[in-house]
């Protein structure tokens, strides 16, 4: 499974952030990694330097084998919280989608 992190100009996407993002997201999806070809994480700061509540937006796109890409978005106050919330949402979505397939 490939992992890719993208950030906007307001979030510094260094190696440390990439490692943290990969750890958070892949640990949440550990039970599904054999069924996924790629995970893309996009982080954006909507308000830039202005600050504000829930201004960090995390969009996660998962690409399951043989299925259409699945995407979720989560906004939170800081990068780590946004990543954790997004990882929780993508896990729930993928568990639901794979569960539907197994019932067929």
């Amino acid at each position: 499974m490939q992992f890719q992190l993208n950030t906007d100009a307001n979030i510094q996407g260094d190696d440390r952030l990439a490692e943290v993002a990969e750890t958070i997201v892949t640990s949440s999806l550990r039970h599904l990694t054999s069924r996924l070809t790629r995970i893309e994480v996009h982080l954006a700061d909507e308000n830039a330097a202005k600050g504000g509540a829930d201004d960090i937006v995390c969009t996660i796109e998962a690409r399951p084998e043989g299925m259409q890409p699945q995407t979720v978005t989560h906004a939170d106050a800081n990068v780590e919280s946004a990543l954790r919330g997004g990882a929780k949402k993508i896990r729930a979505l993928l568990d639901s989608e794979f569960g539907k397939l197994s019932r067929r």
Side-chain angles (χ1 to χ4, degrees), residues 21-42:
E22 185 170 4
T23 300
I24 290 171
V25 175
T26 57
S27 67
S28 179
L29 300 173
R30 184 172 296 128
H31 66 294
L32 300 172
T33 55
S34 64
R35 301 177 81 175
L36 301 174
T37 59
R38 183 177 178 144
I39 298 286
E40 286 189 40
V41 176
H42 303 271

Side-chain angles (χ1 to χ4, degrees), residues 25-88:
V25 175
T26 57
S27 67
S28 179
L29 300 173
R30 184 172 296 128
H31 66 294
L32 300 172
T33 55
S34 64
R35 301 177 81 175
L36 301 174
T37 59
R38 183 177 178 144
I39 298 286
E40 286 189 40
V41 176
H42 303 271
L43 292 171
D45 186 346
E46 289 187 328
N47 297 342
K50 294 181 208 169
D54 298 345
D55 68 334
I56 305 295
V57 177
C58 174
T59 302
I60 301 176
E61 180 181 294
R63 298 184 184 197
E65 286 183 0
M67 295 173 59
Q68 293 294 315
Q70 304 291 316
T71 305
V72 297
T73 300
H74 182 77
D76 219 313
N78 62 52
V79 172
E80 189 171 332
S81 297
L83 284 166
R84 290 191 190 286
K88 186 176 178 181

Side-chain angles (χ1 to χ4, degrees), residues 26 94-95:
T26 57
L94 291 173
D95 283 344

